[in-house]
Amino acid sequence: MSYIEEVRESVAARNAGQPEFMQAVDEVLLTIKPVIDSDPVYKHNAVLERITEPDRQIMFRVPWTDDKGNMRVNRGYRIQFNNAIGPYKGGLRLHPSVNLSIIKFLGFEQIFKNSLTGLPIGGGKGGSDFDPKGKSEREIRDFCQSFMTELARHIGADVDVPAGDIGVGGREIGYMYGQYKRIKNVYEGVLTGKGLTYGGSLARTEATGYGLVYIVDNMLRADGKDIKGMTVAISGSGNVAIYAAQKAAALGAKVVTMSDSNGWVYDKNGINLDVVRDIKEVKRGRIKEYAERVKSAEYHDSGKVWVVKCDIALPCATQNELDENDAATLIKNGVTAIGEGANMPSTTAAINAFQSAGKLFMPAKAANAGGVAVSALEMSQNSQRLAWTFQEVDDKLKGIMKGIFEKTSDAAKAYAKATDYVSGANIAGFLKVAQAMIAQGV
């Protein structure tokens, strides 16, 4: 049995019943095999055993009171996975699907994603199975303050810097930051995604979506193609989807789909983002309202956006949303490129299908790193007591995404094949972290 197989078997035994985490681990272990086999230093230093085991797994009770005066209880998580290259950095997710497996997969992915940015940030993730949908402003505030009451003892500007994720936007970050200040009596950049009035960064809201399109554009250009004039299918209608659509349109592409958990819309004339933003960001409504307001649109309450013929597919909703059947449909319809805007939105079988068909595929570790990159830039601004302009941040983001593409491409060429960006991203991210771990000892 090889070293990788031994580690995989051991990790599976210790993490039984955690399918999302094992899916993430399997993908990394499989793709970094050429690196591991090339040098015994990794086995000698037990790098794989150490990188697949979190530094710390924190689970805690989050009691809060609903509007009827009833006490409610949720479970909170913070996984501090690896800080070999910098303080733990990763979002907080509030969604009923949240469990230990999902938080660990997200934290594990964050190690490599953060490494690829070239910035000094380690990997972590957190959240709760609390569902903010349908809750009042007071209930959300009460939950966020209770959640931070426990989390505050485990984080800090040079220790662990959480951010937003699904269910955690500017409102939730604000409530959490206020509670952290009350508890710690210190004003520091302990959270990112903050409001612009108290240390937030311009372009942070747009960063993940913009970064996704920047790296897909780099990938297309390297293959002699141009995004201008291409048709784009996007899933989701949150920040990532909205700003990916905005940047794609700015570069001359036409975005024709968006979705939420209830259904999806197709607009043959191109999605009107002003309408989407009013529905989602102002009224917090459902995407079906788009079809009620835009005559050229049609709404579907079943199926997925991937049945629409497109040149570029950008899954921006949630993990494992794009499966093997969806991949087959996209391939049959002539898709050219796929960029993952969400975390691990494509199943392993779907990724294999795209790669077997010779399609350009950019994995989430590289493709959606724009958000955490600008979060790290927010940390820098907080430390220096500076506020950069939107253009300054966007220019830095564009440069970071170009750098991620180049590192991913170079590693793919060196250890796999030129367009195997899945292997390239995993290898490039792994090498930096592994070298730092070895240099620092056990």
Side-chain angles (χ1 to χ4, degrees):
M1 187 182 293
S2 71
Y3 173 45
I4 284 181
E5 289 171 334
E6 288 175 5
V7 172
R8 197 273 168 198
E9 190 174 285
S10 174
V11 173
R14 286 201 312 275
N15 298 279
Q18 296 181 20
E20 294 87 359
F21 176 55
M22 285 310 304
Q23 181 182 342
V25 169
D26 282 342
E27 182 206 282
V28 171
L29 293 184
L30 179 67
T31 52
I32 65 173
K33 188 177 187 301
V35 175
I36 301 302
D37 291 346
S38 70
D39 194 333
V41 69
Y42 300 109
K43 182 176 182 179
H44 177 71
N45 286 276
V47 169
L48 295 185
E49 291 92 334
R50 290 159 61 194
I51 207 168
T52 54
E53 185 68 27
D55 290 345
R56 222 161 277 105
Q57 302 183 56
I58 304 158
M59 290 192 290
F60 51 95
R61 180 180 66 239
V62 187
W64 56 280
T65 307
D66 66 22
D67 285 341
K68 295 179 180 179
N70 299 313
M71 182 67 74
R72 307 278 289 275
V73 178
N74 285 93
R75 178 175 287 179
Y77 301 87
R78 188 64 184 173
I79 304 298
Q80 296 174 334
F81 225 114
N82 188 292
N83 66 350
I85 63 173
Y88 306 105
K89 185 84 191 78
L92 297 170
R93 175 175 294 192
L94 300 183
H95 193 273
S97 67
V98 165
N99 57 37
L100 185 59
S101 176
I102 286 175
I103 296 299
K104 283 174 69 175
F105 117 66
L106 291 167
F108 185 68
E109 291 269 299
Q110 204 77 42
I111 300 170
F112 307 98
K113 181 192 305 183
N114 293 359
S115 172
L116 283 169
T117 67
L119 301 168
I121 42 178
K125 204 76 179 185
S128 173
D129 55 5
F130 172 82
D131 187 359
K133 286 183 180 177
K135 302 295 191 302
S136 71
E137 196 82 12
R138 193 210 62 80
E139 288 173 325
I140 289 171
R141 183 179 68 242
D142 196 61
F143 171 85
C144 288
Q145 291 175 341
S146 180
F147 181 82
M148 182 51 75
T149 298
E150 174 60 31
L151 185 65
R153 70 184 69 197
H154 306 291
I155 63 176
D158 296 313
V159 179
D160 184 352
V161 183
D165 194 78
I166 294 171
V168 178
R171 173 182 58 178
E172 290 76 18
I173 291 291
Y175 291 147
M176 291 183 193
Y177 189 67
Q179 184 71 350
Y180 181 86
K181 283 198 302 138
R182 277 187 286 274
I183 293 168
K184 294 288 190 176
N185 192 30
V186 62
Y187 200 104
E188 62 180 7
V190 71
L191 291 167
T192 57
K194 299 186 294 299
L196 295 175
T197 57
Y198 60 100
S201 174
L202 288 164
R204 176 59 190 91
T205 303
E206 297 86 352
T208 308
Y210 278 21
L212 169 62
V213 176
Y214 287 148
I215 201 166
V216 168
D217 186 44
N218 274 278
M219 178 172 66
L220 288 167
R221 289 180 184 278
D223 201 56
K225 297 178 175 65
D226 191 339
I227 194 172
K228 187 175 182 180
M230 288 191 171
T231 299
V232 183
I234 292 180
S235 65
S237 51
N239 274 355
V240 182
I242 287 172
Y243 292 105
Q246 185 184 80
K247 183 55 66 174
L251 295 181
K254 182 167 75 169
V255 178
V256 295
T257 68
M258 295 191 90
S259 68
D260 61 19
S261 57
N262 289 75
W264 58 280
V265 291
Y266 167 68
D267 188 343
K268 63 183 179 182
N269 293 337
I271 293 291
N272 184 326
L273 277 180
D274 290 337
V275 176
V276 174
R277 292 181 65 181
D278 181 61
I279 293 168
K280 287 294 181 178
E281 296 181 344
V282 179
K283 298 178 178 175
R284 298 182 185 273
R286 309 308 295 167
I287 200 67
K288 67 180 179 181
E289 295 170 32
Y290 181 91
E292 296 166 4
R293 293 169 58 173
V294 179
K295 292 182 178 180
S296 58
E298 53 189 63
Y299 174 72
H300 302 265
D301 59 8
S302 62
K304 302 178 186 178
V305 301
W306 315 123
V307 299
V308 173
K309 189 172 182 179
C310 63
D311 302 301
I312 300 172
L314 302 178
C316 297
T318 191
Q319 68 266 11
N320 292 324
E321 60 169 294
L322 197 162
D323 61 25
E324 188 174 15
N325 292 331
D326 301 321
T329 300
L330 285 165
I331 292 166
K332 181 181 176 183
N333 286 337
V335 72
T336 296
I338 304 92
E340 294 191 310
N343 288 297
M344 205 169 72
S346 308
T347 65
T348 302
I351 295 171
N352 292 340
F354 288 132
Q355 292 186 315
S356 296
K359 302 301 179 181
L360 298 174
F361 182 88
M362 187 58 67
K365 286 185 190 69
N368 80 356
V372 74
V374 173
S375 279
L377 297 180
E378 181 177 327
M379 291 166 64
S380 296
Q381 292 171 78
N382 292 167
S383 295
Q384 298 175 71
R385 300 293 192 267
L386 295 175
W388 298 333
T389 66
F390 187 100
Q391 193 60 54
E392 284 178 301
V393 178
D394 192 32
D395 286 345
K396 291 177 190 294
L397 171 63
K398 192 179 296 185
I400 288 168
M401 299 312 295
K402 184 175 186 291
I404 291 174
F405 175 76
E406 290 170 350
K407 286 179 226 174
T408 298
S409 179
D410 289 347
K413 291 172 184 174
Y415 291 98
K417 63 179 183 179
T419 56
D420 184 357
Y421 299 124
V422 174
S423 294
N426 287 333
I427 290 169
F430 170 79
L431 283 171
K432 181 179 179 180
V433 177
Q435 289 161 7
M437 291 172 70
I438 293 168
Q440 294 169 29
V442 178

